[in-house]
Amino acid sequence: MSSVFPTDAQDAFVFLGATGDLAYKKIFPALHNMVRHGTLTVPVIGVAKSGWTLDQLRDRARDSIQHSGEMDDAAFARLIQLLDYIDGDYSDPATFNALKKKLKDAKHPLHYLAIPPSLFEVVTEALAKSGCATGARIVVEKPFGRDLASSKELNATLHHVFAESQIFRIDHYLGKEAVENLLFFRFANSVLEPIWNRTYVESVQITMAEEFGVAGRGKFYEETGAIRDVVQNHLLQVVALLAMEAPTSMYWESIRDEQVKVFRMIPPIQPARLVRGQFQGYKDEPGVARDSTVETYAAVRFEVDSWRWAGVPFLIRAGKCMKKTVTEVMVKLKRPPLARPAAERNYYRFRLGPDISLASGLRIKKPGTKMVAMPIEMLAVDHVLGDEVEAYERLLTDAMQGDSLLFVREDAVDASWVVVQNLLGNIAPVHVYAPGSWGPKEADALAADIGGWHDPV
């Protein structure tokens, strides 16, 4: 294992899988924006086995950035000057010897593995043998395994060459402006702390709905499903930001310590608290088995077994082909002790995407002669801002600078797998639901005692 952890900013950016979909959809636009904003001035080296030339990769980069709608001619010209390419097999030592030569005097390269996890072992060992791992950091994409055992195996493979402090596990969701705002909102406002607990909070709901289906990725989804795709990672990370205690400092390890504590305080979710669904027509998608039991929808209910949150139900639901595309958090507060309490609760609402809003639900007197209440919503933030390209730009910039706050630590990955481990596989029936709905009706029972699911509007 390399014992050198660079304290300086990275002086080269290497991305393996340079001709793949991830590079086309996310990495090239992010690199272009980094150049435009002055945060990328070092050599950029793509590696892949496609039989391509550097000119073909440059054309690919141009198509990618034009497709993103972010083209800045001057920034793109600078990116092209920085860009180089190696076409070679990952199992061939000559590929990485060529990489070492192209790195020249670079002491702290960043290696982005935009490749399947099955190739990690071959690539990391080749990076080490060629000397390209010395002083380097490495970025790996989710999924971080398929379950707890495979996650541990994957981490062991990475740790054979890289120390934990050199490994940056990227989950683009953590780079979204709205998700970061959750952390800031929690701890930058003293008015919130006295009520952010079991005494005042009745329930917490998180909905991640997508109006579209698997979008031609049927084969991928057959191996993944909603629980592995978004519940174990994206949505549990949101839970951690909502439920964590204040960090001892704003140093990134202090914040990540508190996030891990939340995962460890969630008892493993039992199948009785899970509802799985599959949208009607999923089995007709290319790459999907005709007898598939993979879930395109999952709803779970659990608690965070801490002093702050004991007894407060947390509910998560995520699905495809639902009524609209939206990710929203609803924190409902308990009713005030009035003689005739109204049906409406006070609440905090966080719209995380695709648009962004942060709102508080209150009640005021309805104009007129009678003492009648009416609900209002106060908006602190209400605008469209941010997308996955911007999230990748933020995360890659942080990785180049060595800031690991928005990346996932090994113990957090393992702890989140423990939370969902009992839910993996065909552990519960799959209920068919109509496209354009909020999912199977069987999920209603999970929220029946708290007034039902909150459907974002």
Side-chain angles (χ1 to χ4, degrees):
M1 179 189 296
S2 172
S3 60
V4 179
F5 174 64
T7 55
D8 300 326
Q10 308 308 113
D11 51 10
F13 181 91
V14 179
F15 61 119
L16 297 97
T19 60
D21 286 344
L22 181 63
Y24 181 82
K25 294 177 180 178
K26 301 292 188 294
I27 298 177
F28 279 124
L31 294 177
H32 166 267
N33 288 344
M34 290 169 69
V35 171
R36 184 169 61 176
H37 295 143
T39 56
L40 181 65
T41 58
V42 300
V44 176
I45 305 170
V47 183
K49 180 172 173 55
S50 299
W52 285 22
T53 65
L54 175 57
D55 285 340
Q56 286 175 298
L57 187 68
R58 287 171 171 169
D59 290 341
R60 176 78 163 176
R62 181 181 290 104
D63 290 343
S64 164
I65 297 162
Q66 287 176 339
H67 186 264
S68 74
E70 296 283 337
M71 177 62 81
D72 179 306
D73 291 338
F76 180 72
R78 293 197 299 273
L79 175 60
I80 290 302
Q81 290 177 345
L82 297 173
L83 185 63
D84 206 340
Y85 179 62
I86 298 170
D87 193 89
D89 195 306
Y90 298 131
S91 61
D92 186 351
T95 301
F96 294 89
N97 291 334
L99 174 61
K100 180 64 175 175
K101 290 180 180 178
K102 286 189 180 292
L103 285 172
K104 297 180 181 178
D105 297 329
K107 302 296 184 183
H108 304 305
L110 180 75
H111 301 295
Y112 192 134
L113 272 57
I115 55 177
S118 58
L119 296 174
F120 284 2
E121 183 172 6
V122 170
V123 168
T124 53
E125 288 184 358
L127 288 171
K129 289 178 181 178
S130 63
C132 296
T134 303
R137 294 187 179 100
I138 191 169
V139 177
V140 295
E141 278 275 346
K142 81 170 192 70
F144 312 121
R146 288 180 46 80
D147 52 24
L148 180 60
S150 60
S151 172
K152 287 182 175 295
E153 183 179 349
L154 181 62
N155 283 322
T157 296
L158 297 174
H159 285 311
H160 184 66
V161 176
F162 295 95
E164 176 63 21
S165 57
Q166 294 172 274
I167 301 171
F168 286 62
R169 298 173 188 83
I170 192 169
D171 182 343
H172 73 269
Y173 210 70
L174 292 179
K176 289 179 177 288
E177 179 73 19
V179 176
E180 295 175 41
N181 221 338
L182 281 180
L183 177 65
F184 201 86
F185 180 74
R186 277 288 317 277
F187 301 114
N189 297 289
S190 58
V191 67
L192 195 64
E193 176 60 24
I195 64 170
W196 207 253
N197 53 56
R198 57 189 168 87
T199 303
Y200 292 96
V201 175
E202 181 184 71
S203 64
V204 179
Q205 293 188 29
I206 306 172
T207 294
M208 184 178 184
E210 294 173 323
E211 194 173 5
F212 51 88
V214 294
R217 299 168 48 200
K219 184 178 179 181
F220 164 80
Y221 220 75
E222 280 289 274
E223 299 173 355
T224 309
I227 295 171
R228 288 184 172 96
D229 189 31
V230 295
V231 174
Q232 178 269 338
N233 38 72
H234 297 340
L235 299 184
L236 282 182
Q237 290 289 345
V238 173
V239 170
L241 295 176
L242 290 167
M244 64 184 279
E245 295 296 325
T248 55
S249 72
M250 290 310 292
Y251 177 58
W252 57 71
E253 290 300 343
S254 297
I255 295 173
R256 299 205 295 178
D257 285 344
E258 297 303 326
Q259 293 172 316
V260 173
K261 289 178 185 178
V262 173
F263 297 144
R264 290 175 174 165
M265 288 186 289
I266 302 174
I269 305 172
Q270 299 304 311
R273 294 295 187 94
L274 164 69
V275 173
R276 298 167 70 231
Q278 186 183 96
F279 67 80
Q280 189 172 12
Y282 171 71
K283 295 177 183 177
D284 298 327
E285 294 276 349
V288 173
R290 295 298 172 258
D291 59 350
S292 175
T293 56
V294 170
E295 78 280 354
T296 62
Y297 171 99
V300 294
R301 175 169 172 156
F302 58 93
E303 293 184 7
V304 179
D305 193 11
S306 67
W307 182 270
R308 180 185 294 269
W309 295 110
V312 177
F314 284 72
L315 291 87
I316 288 174
R317 62 174 173 174
K320 294 188 175 293
C321 276
M322 294 180 70
K323 192 167 186 177
K324 65 184 301 183
T325 296
V326 60
T327 301
E328 186 161 286
V329 176
M330 174 63 77
V331 180
K332 288 187 178 180
L333 304 183
K334 294 180 179 179
R335 285 192 177 116
L338 299 176
R340 291 188 296 174
E344 301 89 2
R345 308 285 209 284
N346 296 141
Y347 62 81
Y348 285 96
R349 181 179 64 81
F350 306 90
R351 177 71 62 88
L352 305 182
D355 56 323
I356 299 173
S357 60
L358 192 163
S360 176
L362 303 172
R363 288 186 298 148
I364 63 172
K365 180 185 175 296
K366 186 176 183 179
T369 58
K370 296 182 179 180
M371 294 294 289
V372 178
M374 63 178 286
I376 63 165
E377 185 172 79
M378 296 178 62
L379 281 170
V381 178
D382 184 21
H383 56 263
V384 177
L385 177 66
D387 57 24
E388 290 187 8
V389 171
E390 290 185 3
Y392 268 87
E393 180 190 357
R394 167 68 190 275
L395 292 169
L396 292 184
T397 301
D398 285 356
M400 291 291 287
Q401 297 173 350
D403 184 343
S404 60
L405 172 60
L406 299 177
F407 294 84
V408 186
R409 206 167 62 187
E410 178 185 14
D411 52 354
V413 174
D414 288 347
S416 61
W417 276 121
V418 170
V419 172
V420 303
Q421 188 69 33
N422 294 334
L423 309 180
L424 303 178
N426 297 324
I427 199 69
V430 173
H431 305 281
V432 176
Y433 62 95
S437 69
W438 285 110
K441 293 182 178 179
E442 288 79 2
D444 293 348
L446 293 176
D449 63 328
I450 58 169
W453 288 97
H454 162 70
D455 295 333
V457 296

